[in-house]
């Protein structure tokens, strides 16, 4: 082991996060750990007070905090990859600049877990979600009793589905040796979802039911339009399709369900949220994509394709309205 290298690198990307970045930094500095820690922060050319705040903390904690500034705004994906490549630790902890940690034992618990389980490449924990508009909190996993410490282990099939278990990005600690960025990664819609899939090829992924961190819900979240945007579904489709090929076309049934669901959900959102010429153009592109990507592995898949993409679903809805 090189004694000059940290055991854990905390990796944070930020852009115009002046309202939140100090709380993120303080949560990292509050960690009580038995190993050497570094904190890598990449700012994507922020135009608010984020750079001056980062400078203040980098000057105060020069042995821990290493700040890098992009000369121009290069976007979340490229900034994320730059930050990850700068991390030198055996493990990398992810933390967006607008989220924060609330448990000072978070990193030590996860570090000890990964040290004791060499077959696990990534572990996450439970989280709280904070609604900034109201200041209220909800748990990320309402279907589980809080803070039981129970561990659940997953593989690639669950990372295709994500549900019922969500591994919060701001809770993750992962093995840096398993990180790689294929050429298609720069265009994924959510870097965390694609990274979890890629890591799942190297080993199992674990969830520890212990609340350690907070995810802020506010209007500037990159996922703020997750529920309505058809483009998000198109992004999911490309992530799943590219990963399926990258994996050597393993887990075909799980990949097919994820790909098909993305196409069907994109179509549903177009019909619900788009109108006029925009809707017609998007529906046409969605249909072309369905011809290219929809996976038919069974009779049920074939019938689903006919129902969703040959306008039978619309006809059924029209007949119901006419009753």
């Amino acid at each position: 082991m090189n004694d000059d290298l940290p055991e854990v690198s905390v990796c944070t990307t930020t852009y115009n996060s002046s309202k939140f970045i100090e709380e993120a930094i303080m949560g990292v500095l509050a960690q009580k750990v038995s190993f050497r820690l570094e904190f890598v922060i990449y700012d994507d050319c922020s135009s608010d007070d984020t750079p001056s705040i980062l400078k203040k903390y980098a000057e105060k904690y020069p042995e821990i905090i290493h700040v890098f500034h992009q000369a121009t705004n290069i976007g979340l994906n490229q900034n994320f990859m730059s930050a990850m490549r700068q991390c030198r630790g055996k493990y990398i902890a992810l933390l967006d600049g607008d989220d924060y940690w609330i448990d000072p034992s978070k990193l030590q618990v996860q570090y000890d877990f990964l040290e004791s389980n060499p077959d696990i490449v990534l572990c996450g924990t439970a989280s709280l979600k904070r609604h900034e508009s109201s200041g209220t909190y909800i748990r990320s996993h309402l279907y589980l009793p809080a803070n039981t410490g129970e561990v659940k282990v997953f593989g690639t099939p669950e990372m295709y589905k994500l549900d019922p278990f969500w591994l919060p990005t701001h809770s993750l600690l992962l093995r840096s040796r398993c990180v790689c960025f294929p050429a298609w990664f720069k265009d994924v819609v959510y870097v965390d979802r694609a990274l979890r899939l890629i890591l799942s090829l190297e080993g199992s992924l674990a969830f520890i039911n212990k609340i350690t961190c907070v995810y802020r819900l506010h209007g500037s979240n990159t996922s703020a339009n997750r529920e309505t945007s058809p483009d998000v579904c198109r992004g999911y489709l490309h992530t799943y399709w590219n990963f399926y090929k990258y994996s050597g076309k393993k887990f075909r049934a799980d990949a097919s369900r994820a790909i098909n669901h993305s196409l069907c959900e994109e179509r549903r959102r177009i019909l619900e949220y788009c109108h006029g010429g925009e809707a017609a153009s998007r529906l046409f592109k969605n249909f072309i994509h369905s011809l290219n990507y929809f996976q038919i592995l069974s009779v049920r898949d074939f019938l689903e394709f006919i129902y969703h993409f040959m306008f039978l679903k619309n006809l059924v809805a029209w007949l119901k309205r006419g009753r």
Side-chain angles (χ1 to χ4, degrees):
M1 180 187 297
N2 188 336
D3 292 335
D4 294 332
L5 295 178
E7 280 288 282
V8 173
S9 300
V10 180
C11 180
T12 291
T13 56
T14 185
Y15 173 70
N16 286 352
S17 299
S18 60
K19 292 181 181 179
F20 312 123
I21 190 63
E22 286 195 81
E23 199 161 9
I25 293 172
M26 295 306 296
V28 175
L29 294 175
Q31 293 297 300
K32 300 184 184 302
V33 296
S34 61
F35 47 81
R36 186 175 176 188
L37 177 73
E38 72 170 356
F39 191 4
V40 175
I41 308 175
Y42 259 70
D43 178 61
D44 195 16
C45 198
S46 292
S47 58
D48 63 359
D49 292 333
T50 300
S52 60
I53 295 171
L54 296 179
K55 180 181 178 183
K56 178 181 70 173
Y57 281 95
E59 291 176 348
K60 189 173 182 179
Y61 302 96
E63 295 184 357
I64 299 176
I65 298 179
H66 311 297
V67 175
F68 301 86
H69 298 280
Q70 302 291 3
T72 59
N73 184 272
I74 62 173
L76 189 152
N77 292 18
Q78 293 286 359
N79 195 43
F80 177 77
M81 289 189 286
S82 296
M84 291 287 282
R85 288 167 176 151
Q86 192 66 42
C87 293
R88 302 174 298 155
K90 177 181 180 181
Y91 301 107
I92 300 175
L94 301 185
L95 176 64
D96 287 338
D98 54 351
D99 301 323
Y100 59 100
W101 297 342
I102 56 175
D103 183 350
S105 68
K106 173 193 182 297
L107 285 183
Q108 188 68 56
V109 168
Q110 292 179 281
Y111 175 85
D112 291 342
F113 178 82
L114 289 179
E115 285 284 284
S116 300
N117 295 275
D119 57 319
I120 304 291
V121 298
L122 171 156
C123 68
T125 72
S127 170
L128 295 175
K129 297 180 182 180
R130 172 183 165 88
H131 292 270
E132 287 299 307
S133 58
S134 63
T136 57
Y137 295 85
I138 59 172
R139 290 192 291 115
S140 60
H141 298 78
L142 293 173
Y143 39 82
L144 293 177
N147 291 324
T148 62
E150 180 184 8
V151 176
K152 293 185 178 292
V153 179
F154 308 101
T156 302
E158 288 84 7
M159 291 305 100
Y160 269 119
K161 292 182 285 190
L162 277 184
D163 296 323
F165 275 92
W166 172 51
L167 295 173
T169 306
H170 51 290
S171 78
L172 300 183
L173 183 69
L174 54 93
R175 298 185 190 275
S176 60
R177 64 173 173 79
C178 299
V179 175
C180 66
F181 298 119
W184 50 268
F185 191 92
K186 62 182 176 61
D187 297 317
V188 299
V189 67
Y190 288 123
V191 295
D192 52 352
R193 182 172 293 203
L195 183 61
R196 285 189 293 258
L197 282 163
I198 291 169
L199 289 171
S200 73
L201 295 178
E202 302 295 328
S204 300
L205 303 91
F207 169 82
I208 304 172
N209 187 16
K210 177 178 172 62
I211 295 172
T212 69
C213 46
V214 177
Y215 173 70
R216 296 184 195 269
L217 295 166
H218 56 85
S220 300
N221 291 103
T222 56
S223 58
N225 67 345
R226 185 194 300 255
E227 301 300 323
T228 61
S229 172
D231 295 328
V232 168
C233 300
R234 180 71 58 83
Y236 286 161
L237 165 66
H238 288 156
T239 295
Y240 294 140
W241 177 252
N242 283 309
F243 174 73
Y244 174 57
K245 293 190 296 181
Y246 174 78
S247 72
K249 297 189 175 181
K250 298 177 180 178
F251 311 102
R252 186 182 180 190
D254 301 289
S256 296
R257 281 192 292 269
I259 290 167
N260 292 353
H261 176 76
S262 299
L263 286 162
C264 293
E265 179 63 13
E266 180 190 23
R267 191 173 189 283
R268 183 193 69 79
R269 293 186 186 189
I270 292 170
L271 291 170
E272 184 170 354
Y273 298 108
C274 302
H275 307 282
E278 180 192 6
S281 175
R282 285 180 175 271
L283 283 172
F284 176 75
K285 292 177 181 178
N286 173 256
F287 176 69
I288 297 300
H289 271 73
S290 70
L291 292 177
N292 290 327
Y293 296 110
F294 197 89
Q295 304 293 296
I296 298 179
L297 304 184
S298 66
V299 173
R300 180 175 179 176
D301 293 329
F302 176 73
L303 294 176
E304 184 179 24
F305 176 83
I306 297 297
Y307 181 66
H308 283 280
F309 300 102
M310 302 305 290
F311 295 93
L312 289 181
K313 184 177 181 179
N314 301 74
L315 177 60
V316 170
W318 179 77
L319 291 172
K320 287 182 177 179
R321 286 196 300 269
R323 289 179 181 177

